[in-house]
Amino acid sequence: QVQLVESGGGPVQPGGSLRLSCAASGFTLGDYRIGWFRQAPGKEREGVSCISRVGASTYYADSVKGRFTISRDNAKNTVYLQMNSLKRDDTAVYYCATLIGFSCNRLPRTENVQSWGQGTQVTVSS
């Protein structure tokens, strides 16, 4: 069964850190560029970051640049999103996704997505 599973979300105080993981099963994650997206309550799903197949290229939304780092370990079939200096505005459900017809030289959009994970909730609150 082809599946993406996110983990690592949870509650965190402003200024704190979390590391999200996106694990693939049923296929080789290294065959795909991967994007992280997020959706806050009442807002559209937006691209946060992407990473190329071997990790040589990455791209970030301006809102997270310098605070978030995307990485991947293809041997573990897993992509990560390290989130530091978290802000209340980072509160959202975070999704990873396989991307098609897309190069990580710009922010991914939902129309670039082939498959979604189920999402993991990140809540930044004091």
Side-chain angles (χ1 to χ4, degrees):
Q1 183 180 1
V2 175
Q3 198 173 14
L4 287 169
V5 178
E6 300 94 336
S7 61
V12 63
Q13 292 187 342
S17 297
L18 285 174
R19 188 176 80 156
L20 306 184
S21 298
C22 170
S25 60
F27 68 101
T28 301
L29 197 64
D31 290 343
Y32 295 89
R33 300 174 181 93
I34 300 297
W36 280 99
F37 294 76
R38 67 186 181 186
Q39 188 166 19
K43 295 187 177 181
E44 292 187 352
R45 195 170 298 188
E46 62 176 2
V48 174
S49 182
C50 70
I51 188 166
S52 59
R53 292 186 185 96
V54 295
S57 296
T58 58
Y59 199 91
Y60 298 93
D62 287 344
S63 59
V64 307
K65 202 172 295 182
R67 301 187 297 120
F68 290 12
T69 303
I70 191 170
S71 62
R72 67 191 302 160
D73 185 340
N74 287 341
K76 295 183 178 180
N77 236 21
T78 302
V79 172
Y80 305 97
L81 187 68
Q82 177 68 44
M83 306 187 297
N84 299 328
S85 302
L86 282 160
K87 305 175 181 180
R88 288 182 176 82
D89 287 348
D90 295 319
T91 295
V93 179
Y94 284 72
Y95 301 87
C96 65
T98 55
L99 305 174
I100 54 170
F102 179 83
S103 296
C104 281
N105 55 5
R106 64 188 188 281
L107 207 58
R109 301 193 296 183
T110 56
E111 51 261 42
N112 303 126
V113 171
Q114 182 187 46
S115 298
W116 293 100
Q118 86 290 349
T120 185
Q121 175 72 47
V122 172
T123 304
V124 185
S125 173
S126 54

